Every structure is written in structure tokens, then in C-alpha cells.
Amino acid sequence: MSHILVKGLHKQFAGKPPTTAIDDLDFAIEAGEFIVLLGPSGCGKTTTLRCLAGLETAGSGAISLGGTTWFDSSRRIALPPEKRNIGMVFQSYALWPHLTVRKNIGYPLQARGTKGPEAAKRVEEAAALVDCATLLDRYPAQLSGGQQQRVSLARSLVSRPDLILFDEPLSNLDAKLRDDVRAHLHELHARLKFTAVFVTHDQSEALALADRVAVMRAGRFEQIGTPFDVFERPATEYVADFIGLSNRLPAARIDGVTRVSGVEVEGLVLASAQHDEFVLRIRPEDLRLAPDRGSLSGLTTVAGTVIDSVFGGRHLDVYVAVGGLRLHARIEARTTDDWARALRGGEPVVVGFCPDFARAYGLENEGSRLITVQPLVATKD
Amino acid sequence: MATLTVSAGSRTRVALRRLGRQRLLALLFVIPLAFLVLMPIYRLQTEALSNGAQAYSTEFGRERMPGTILATIGLAVGSLAIAMAAGTLLAWSATLLPARLRWMRVLPILPIVLPFVAGVLGWTFLLSPRPGYLNALLRRLPWWDHLVAGPIDVYTLPWIVIITGLTLTAFVYLFLSAGFQNINSELIEAAHVSGSGALGVFFRVILPMIRPSLLYGGAVALLIGLGQFTAPLLLGRQSDVNVLTTEIYYALYNRTPQDPAAAAAIASPLLIVGVAVVLGQKYLLGNTSRFVTHGGRGFRPIQRKSKFAVGLILTYLLLSTVLPLVALAVVSLSPFWSRRIAPGAFSLDNFRELFATPVLVDAVWTSIWISFLAVAICLPIGFIASSLLLRAKQLKVTRAVLDLIITLPLGVPAVVFGVGFLLTYTRDPFFLYGTKWVLLVAYVTIMLPFTTRMHMSGMTALGDAYVEASRVAGAGVVTTNLRIVLPLLRSSVGGAAALMFVLLTHEFTASLLIRSAQTQVMGTVLYDTYANGNYPLVAAVAMIMTAVTFAGVVVALSIGGSKVFEDL
Ligand SMILES: Nc1ncnc2c1ncn2[C@@H]1O[C@H](COP(=O)(O)OP(=O)(O)O)[C@@H](O)[C@H]1O
Ligand SMILES: [Mg+2]
């Protein structure tokens, strides 16, 4: 049996017009699993999390943990947050400023009736887990952002809750610290195996932490799967775009010729058995550039014109016009020869990519789903 | 750890049905408040409509009524105009203050917390035609040296308007300077950078952004001006200047027998206009979020004219506070009031007499402990009311009703409320007249909007995260409030509570209507002493009132900082 079961969860906010924040969500979370809700701002991640916490009451649906019903609109059951045995890490950390770190961490224990030496021991343990053992008698205002973050984590862990909720907890940290905390969190989860739902809009965070990633779009799950799945086989164009396949090449095969935005595709030409028209998605890192097709043999190629080239330290960002499209190629600066470094706007260039790295999708009216395309025999060469 | 299971079905029956219990508790809270606020208004209306609404035609048919109404409008509009102009100018100059003089921003607020009766008395001592100190000084000027009285007569309508306007300025200033503080300086700089000059920035960026504060400050000033009682009562009698509020008072205390129907009828227009203004501004400011500008540094104009600013603020302080207080002090130390100040004759005799008069001593104590009790009652009421208004999202109807009940007293002038209290508590089921409890009930009712507002702003400033973190950590509503919300609110609420205490100790208007011979407070004995013409003793009472006020303000500032004034 699943640990947590969510069925038909639906939440609408009143207003003109009303916003549907979450739209008939169904999912299950296994014990010890780390689920990440990934999506752009406004897609309903926080609302989902708050419904799980009981801070928000959904309009319809049901949530249960093991045999306990947390929420069931048809039976008019809604357990308040304090009865759900959960922990939560807030984006702002929400450490109570008038309590010391020790009291902050001890609060969930006291609220749930654990007192005395047992509670004191657990507070020390939790603080040690997050490297905060020396901060116990300070007040939150005397801590740095990263330290507050860790205390907040200790507070959510201390009472060994059935579920821990994270609402973009790393977004207020600077980039370097964010990587450290992320690694630390991953390690902690591996050791303690708590069940977690973690909300973020950062794909690398999601891939690093998740057992399973749920990509959200307008209150629904667009795809749920392992990080590998989501990364390698984005189910829809929306997921592909969000996960970094940001170059979009609408392709059409007419009279045996495949064109991308009107420009003929050469080299390894791609075609689909069922679809005459489809959309290719590819990461900027997977595009290659060359002065002529000769140096890109074995790849799929199209001709274009350089729009601009931007130096980015370890890489070069080159923007290329292909027909009406604007493609973004990111090439490693160290391996780039002088030719690439000297690229200027207006110069002709050939863009190529390995078909294995591209993903193809059906058209929008068919739901932009992942389809398979095969390279045909090379033409003209 | 995550596999720890909750015994199945144990508490699952804690259901949405809880809502029913919540609603019941909320109603138990709202109904008594509704009684407090609505009953006086209801009694007032039934009284006015008794005898086939006879009182309306009698009262509004009187020959002097048109003049009274004109004077009322003149007082309201005139003092509003003065207050808006001077208040805007002061608020603007407060933004020009250099950093080390920033503390001066609190000075123009003083007239709000100082007892207005004391101020009016002070101005009487300064500007009464014959013995007024300032008049005596002005008569030294060559072109006035032939006069025996004047040149200024404080007992006329224009001067009643000016003195009222001076005090209302403080209210407009309060709201506008809060408005200026909320403007992010980068918005102003952006306008300058986009090519607007100082005037362009003021009219196209600043003015539109402070519109809600202007509107709110203006509405408050208009209501106070319309319901103004103290100044016309103390000053208007001599030259027969009457406004609706004084007519209400005279209908009760200048006619035998008392004519409550007449008082209620005269109160009607004030009540209607007051409630309309309150509801109107609530409607107009319904969605204020688009005016909120978050983050960034507070508003700082580009040019600094700090000398001008300091001069303006000090001038206002002198006129509104220092001069009248000095006059009061002088009279309170003198054996009698004459145009010549004789420091050699100064003594504390008046204060000795005051403390030897049991009625006066009693009144001081009554003021202090009734105000204290009222604050003690108002604090939990405000806490619960604002929790309901901010957090009980499911109880839509209850919240709307509560909101209305809490807001209404703002629109009911104290005189009108006073008549309503009198009508309500001189009959069963709550016969309280003649006891001190009637004062307590009245004070609590009057303070409902303030206590709720200040709790709401405190809670809003706290945000939801602290509360939610506590709930998620396993603490229920009660524990969360006790261990998280109350401790965090302590400083803001503590300061505001001291302020509330101060405002109540010098409550004058409602007290004067509901007092009886046995229940006197500082304001009412001050009026009686004034009516008897014992000016030095009056001045001594006013000085005591001022001293109590100062003590309270110091406490308020030390607990809450200068932010305590922002909730008014
Ligand atoms: N309290 C609220 N009232 C009205 N609308 C809300 C409220 N909270 C969220 N929304 C709306 O619901 C949608 C989802 O919001 P949210 O769950 O916060 O998104 P996310 O966390 O993914 O950024 C948004 O369109 C947001 O505007
Ligand atoms: Mg969010």
C-alpha cells in the first residue's frame, strides 16, 4: 500500500475570473520517497504542498496517509495541520524570532507531547544532523541565511514526521551555498529515508534530489517519472522546454524533402512514419557549428546565418537564424578554434546535431506528445 | 522514521463539521459586540421616530436651525480645508528632514494624543478678547494700541474653525506621512530619470500614489470636524455660535425636562453623513493592494530644504502644542487669570486646592482606572476580532458583519454615540446609568475600531508563515496564539495599548453626555469648573490631564517606538 495517496484533488481560488490552482491531481507517494514538484511560477506547486499540509483546504478530492484520511471532501473530513504529523521547511524559513534555536527545534516535540530529557536529546541529535549543534542558544536573527536554512531543516526533521514538505527552500540562498545545501539534503535523505515532497522551479535541483519528478503545468501533472526518464524522454514539448531542450525546430516533410522553417535539412535527414509535420527539440549544448557541411558529416544539418555571438567564459553562445527561427548554440570555448571565436553577425554558417540528441513531438493539436523519428539514408553525400 | 503510522481512524472524525462549532463560537463573540455598537444607534433612531417623528419637524423647523446647520458645515469644511493644506505641507516637509533630525517627524502628531480640551482652554487663555495673553501682546502694536479688547476674539466661528483645523492637521499629517514613507524612492528617481521635473513628479507620481492616504486622512478629518463638540461647546457659548453637536447637548442638558427625542433627531444628519463617509471610503479603498509599493528605501526627495522643513514643523508645534500648554501652565500657577503675567505670584495653590477637593481627586482616579479596565477589555476583543477578520476565511458572512460592526463607530460622532449610550443604558435590560460601568461600556465601544485596527496591522506585519510553521509543527490554534502570535505582537500591541489608555483618559465628549453626579472623569470636572468660571483651577485640572497623557505617551513610545501612532 502506498504511503500517501492523493485522489482527484482540485482547488480553485475565488476571484474574477476564478483561478484553478490545482486541477484533479492523482498521485501516490511511497514511504521514504523523495518527490519533487517542478514547474514554472504560478503552476500550482505551492498550493499542492499547502493542501498536503492542511494549510489550504481543497475544493474536492481526498488525501490519505496509510489508513488515515487527512482530507476527504465527500465525507467532509479535513484534518487540521497539527493533526497530520508533518514537517515543513518554508521559503522564508519562518523561524520564530523570539525563540532560541534550541526552542525553535524543540517546538514540534513539545507541541506533540515529547518532553524532558528525551526531547532535549532529540533536539541535540537533530541539530547535529544539520551541523548546528553550536548554534543552539542563539536567536534566529543572529544566524546567516544558510544557518537559518539548516535550523529550519532540523525543526522539520526533529519529530520524525510521516511527511516533510519543502517549498523552494533553497531559493533564498546564493548559488554556491545552494549547491552545498542541496548535496547535504541528498545525503540526509539517503541516511534517514524520510518521505518528502519538495517544490522547486529549478530543474537541476529537481534532477539532483528527486526519486521521482512531477512536472506541473497549470495545476496538472504533465509527466511523472524518474529524473532520468524526465531528462531523457520528456513526454511533451512543455516538459522538454522546461528541462532545457530549448531549441524548437518545426519540421515538415513534403515530396520527400524535410524542411525546417522552409530550409532544407541535409545530412542525416529525419522523418517520421506517421507524421508529415513534427517539432524537433534540442539543447543548445548539443548543436554544432561549422563553416560548411563537410566538417559535420554524419550529423543532421541546416544552413543559417549568425545573428550574434556572446562570450560566456567557458563557452560561447551563438545565435543563428535558420529561416524564420532563432537557434541558440552553446559551444565550448576551450575546444573552439579561431574560426568560431571570430564569428560575427551576418556570416553564413551550418548548424548540425546528432539525431540521438534531438527529441521529436507531434503537433499541438495532438497534445505535443513525444514521437519517434528515424534518420533516413543520407542524401546527396 | 517515515513509516511511523498513525493509529488508523483515531481522529479522522475531526471533520469539516468543526466549522459548525467555529461558527457558533464566532457568533458568541460577534453578538455582544453587535449589541454594543448597534443598540445605541437603534435606540437613537426609535427615539427620534417616536411620536410620529414629531421631533424632526420641531427641531429642524426652529428659526435658528438654518444658522446652526451652516455653522456645522462651515466648521467641518473650514477645518478640513485648513487641515488638508497644512497637513500635506507638513508631511511633505517631514520627508525633507535630514537623517539626524528624523525624530522630529513625531512632533506634529502630538496634538492627537494631547487632550484637546486642554488645548482649547489654552487658546482661550491666549486669545480671549480682554485678558488673552496674545491679545494683550498684540495691543502693544502701534496700530492696535487704542483697543481695550481684541483684536482677536477666540469666541467666534472663524477662530473655532482655525483651532479645530490646527488639531485636525495632525491627523492628516499622520496618514500622509505614512503614505510618503510607503513610496519607494526608486519610483521617484525613475520619474526624474524619465524626464519629469519636481512638479511633474509631484503631480504625476507622488500625488496619485498617496491618494489612498489623502482620501483616508481627509475622511477622518471630515468626520472629526463634523462631529466636533469640544471647541464649539467651550468657545461658542459666549457669542451664541451653535453647531448640531452643541444643540444635541443642550437638548439634553439645557432643557427641563430633558428632550432625548430632540437630541436624537438632531443627531440623525450627523449619523447618516458619518456612516456614509465611513462606508464610502471603505468602498473606495476596497482594493488598496495596487497602491502598496514594497521594498526599497523609503521615499526621499532629491532636493533638501531642511531649514524650511524644520521651521515649518517647529511653527506647527508652537501653535498647536507649546503656546496653549504654556498659557495653561501660567494660569494654573497664578492665583487668578488676568492679562498681566505675574511670575512673582506663582504658586502651587491651585494644585493643592485640586487635591483637596474630593470630587476632583475622584475624577482623576476614575479616569485612570476606567481607562485601564477598558484597555484591558479591548485588548482580547481586538485580538479575537482581528484573528477572525484575517484568518477565519470560511466564515464569510460572520466576517463581513464583524467588519461592519467594528468600522461603524468610526463614523458615529462621540456626541451621537453619547446620546445613544444614554438612551441604551438608562433602561433595562442593562440599567447602568449612574454607575461607572456605563463609562466603561462606552469607552470599550468607542475603542473597538482602534483596538481591532492595531491588532490587524500587527498580525499582517507578522505574516502567515510563523503561524503556519507552528501549526505544521503540531501546535493547535490556542497554543500557536499563546506561544507564537502573542509574544511576537507584544511590542506593537503594548505600545498601542498605552496609546489607547492615553486617548481614553482625556475622553471628553461621550463622557460629558453619560456622566452623572457620581460618575465624573477628568474631562467632565474640567468642564464643570470651567462653567463655574474658576479658571486657575480649570487650568490645574488640564495640567494634570496633560501630565497623565505625557506619562502614557512616554510608555507608548518606549514600548512600541514611534510606529505606535501608525495604527490610529
Ligand atoms: N491565496 C490565493 N488567492 C488567489 N489565488 C491564488 C492564491 N494562492 C495562489 N493563487 C493562484 O493559484 C495559482 C497557483 O499558485 P501557486 O500554487 O502559488 O503557484 P506556484 O507555487 O507554482 O508558483 C496561481 O495562479 C496563483 O495566482
Ligand atoms: Mg510557490
Side-chain angles (χ1 to χ4, degrees), chain A residues 40-47 50 91 167-168 199 201:
Chain A
S41 165
C43 69
K45 307 179 299 286
T46 299
T47 309
R50 291 170 59 84
Q91 192 168 7
D167 192 358
E168 310 212 10
V199 159
H201 62 261

mmCIF file of all heavy atoms in Angstrom, chain A residues 40-47 50 91 167-168 199 201, ligand 2:
data_model
loop_
_atom_site.group_PDB
_atom_site.id
_atom_site.type_symbol
_atom_site.label_atom_id
_atom_site.label_comp_id
_atom_site.label_asym_id
_atom_site.label_seq_id
_atom_site.Cartn_x
_atom_site.Cartn_y
_atom_site.Cartn_z
ATOM 1 N N PRO A 40 7.057 26.050 -13.581
ATOM 2 C CA PRO A 40 7.282 27.491 -13.512
ATOM 3 C C PRO A 40 6.391 28.123 -12.451
ATOM 4 O O PRO A 40 5.470 27.488 -11.943
ATOM 5 C CB PRO A 40 6.888 27.974 -14.908
ATOM 6 C CG PRO A 40 5.883 26.974 -15.369
ATOM 7 C CD PRO A 40 6.306 25.668 -14.780
ATOM 8 N N SER A 41 6.689 29.342 -12.122
ATOM 9 C CA SER A 41 5.920 30.068 -11.119
ATOM 10 C C SER A 41 4.443 30.147 -11.523
ATOM 11 O O SER A 41 4.121 30.382 -12.681
ATOM 12 C CB SER A 41 6.509 31.465 -10.984
ATOM 13 O OG SER A 41 5.620 32.291 -10.315
ATOM 14 N N GLY A 42 3.563 29.885 -10.571
ATOM 15 C CA GLY A 42 2.133 30.013 -10.821
ATOM 16 C C GLY A 42 1.475 28.740 -11.310
ATOM 17 O O GLY A 42 0.285 28.737 -11.623
ATOM 18 N N CYS A 43 2.212 27.602 -11.363
ATOM 19 C CA CYS A 43 1.613 26.394 -11.918
ATOM 20 C C CYS A 43 0.898 25.575 -10.853
ATOM 21 O O CYS A 43 0.297 24.546 -11.147
ATOM 22 C CB CYS A 43 2.664 25.546 -12.620
ATOM 23 S SG CYS A 43 3.833 24.802 -11.487
ATOM 24 N N GLY A 44 0.946 25.989 -9.586
ATOM 25 C CA GLY A 44 0.174 25.306 -8.558
ATOM 26 C C GLY A 44 0.991 24.459 -7.603
ATOM 27 O O GLY A 44 0.427 23.685 -6.823
ATOM 28 N N LYS A 45 2.312 24.587 -7.623
ATOM 29 C CA LYS A 45 3.152 23.762 -6.749
ATOM 30 C C LYS A 45 2.882 24.066 -5.280
ATOM 31 O O LYS A 45 2.627 23.164 -4.477
ATOM 32 C CB LYS A 45 4.644 24.024 -7.043
ATOM 33 C CG LYS A 45 5.033 23.875 -8.495
ATOM 34 C CD LYS A 45 6.505 24.175 -8.706
ATOM 35 C CE LYS A 45 6.934 25.579 -8.338
ATOM 36 N NZ LYS A 45 6.525 26.622 -9.270
ATOM 37 N N THR A 46 2.963 25.352 -4.924
ATOM 38 C CA THR A 46 2.773 25.729 -3.531
ATOM 39 C C THR A 46 1.392 25.336 -3.039
ATOM 40 O O THR A 46 1.227 24.836 -1.926
ATOM 41 C CB THR A 46 2.986 27.250 -3.367
ATOM 42 O OG1 THR A 46 4.317 27.553 -3.744
ATOM 43 C CG2 THR A 46 2.757 27.681 -1.943
ATOM 44 N N THR A 47 0.395 25.549 -3.870
ATOM 45 C CA THR A 47 -0.963 25.205 -3.473
ATOM 46 C C THR A 47 -1.082 23.706 -3.190
ATOM 47 O O THR A 47 -1.696 23.289 -2.209
ATOM 48 C CB THR A 47 -1.958 25.628 -4.567
ATOM 49 O OG1 THR A 47 -1.704 26.985 -4.906
ATOM 50 C CG2 THR A 47 -3.383 25.473 -4.096
ATOM 51 N N ARG A 50 0.515 23.053 0.114
ATOM 52 C CA ARG A 50 -0.275 23.566 1.239
ATOM 53 C C ARG A 50 -1.529 22.733 1.466
ATOM 54 O O ARG A 50 -2.020 22.641 2.590
ATOM 55 C CB ARG A 50 -0.614 25.037 1.014
ATOM 56 C CG ARG A 50 0.623 25.939 1.115
ATOM 57 C CD ARG A 50 0.342 27.364 0.654
ATOM 58 N NE ARG A 50 -0.718 27.984 1.443
ATOM 59 C CZ ARG A 50 -0.511 28.579 2.615
ATOM 60 N NH1 ARG A 50 0.709 28.639 3.096
ATOM 61 N NH2 ARG A 50 -1.513 29.101 3.282
ATOM 62 N N GLN A 91 9.933 28.732 2.530
ATOM 63 C CA GLN A 91 10.837 29.501 1.689
ATOM 64 C C GLN A 91 11.552 30.577 2.510
ATOM 65 O O GLN A 91 12.726 30.841 2.335
ATOM 66 C CB GLN A 91 10.030 30.150 0.562
ATOM 67 C CG GLN A 91 10.874 30.740 -0.525
ATOM 68 C CD GLN A 91 10.045 31.093 -1.739
ATOM 69 O OE1 GLN A 91 8.826 31.023 -1.724
ATOM 70 N NE2 GLN A 91 10.710 31.469 -2.806
ATOM 71 N N ASP A 167 9.056 24.013 0.504
ATOM 72 C CA ASP A 167 8.598 24.973 -0.508
ATOM 73 C C ASP A 167 9.764 25.851 -0.946
ATOM 74 O O ASP A 167 10.081 26.836 -0.285
ATOM 75 C CB ASP A 167 7.448 25.822 0.037
ATOM 76 C CG ASP A 167 6.769 26.604 -1.075
ATOM 77 O OD1 ASP A 167 7.225 26.496 -2.234
ATOM 78 O OD2 ASP A 167 5.796 27.315 -0.789
ATOM 79 N N GLU A 168 10.365 25.515 -2.040
ATOM 80 C CA GLU A 168 11.513 26.243 -2.591
ATOM 81 C C GLU A 168 12.476 26.690 -1.495
ATOM 82 O O GLU A 168 12.797 27.875 -1.386
ATOM 83 C CB GLU A 168 11.024 27.469 -3.376
ATOM 84 C CG GLU A 168 9.927 27.099 -4.358
ATOM 85 C CD GLU A 168 9.939 27.945 -5.618
ATOM 86 O OE1 GLU A 168 10.895 28.701 -5.826
ATOM 87 O OE2 GLU A 168 8.995 27.813 -6.404
ATOM 88 N N VAL A 199 9.219 21.290 -3.512
ATOM 89 C CA VAL A 199 8.761 22.132 -4.607
ATOM 90 C C VAL A 199 9.898 23.011 -5.106
ATOM 91 O O VAL A 199 10.625 23.587 -4.308
ATOM 92 C CB VAL A 199 7.598 23.028 -4.103
ATOM 93 C CG1 VAL A 199 7.430 24.234 -5.003
ATOM 94 C CG2 VAL A 199 6.320 22.237 -4.037
ATOM 95 N N HIS A 201 11.384 25.430 -8.866
ATOM 96 C CA HIS A 201 11.249 25.738 -10.287
ATOM 97 C C HIS A 201 12.584 25.522 -10.994
ATOM 98 O O HIS A 201 12.749 25.864 -12.153
ATOM 99 C CB HIS A 201 10.765 27.173 -10.476
ATOM 100 C CG HIS A 201 11.719 28.196 -9.927
ATOM 101 N ND1 HIS A 201 11.540 28.783 -8.705
ATOM 102 C CD2 HIS A 201 12.849 28.697 -10.420
ATOM 103 C CE1 HIS A 201 12.541 29.601 -8.463
ATOM 104 N NE2 HIS A 201 13.353 29.583 -9.481
HETATM 105 MG MG MG C 2 5.262 28.868 -4.918
#
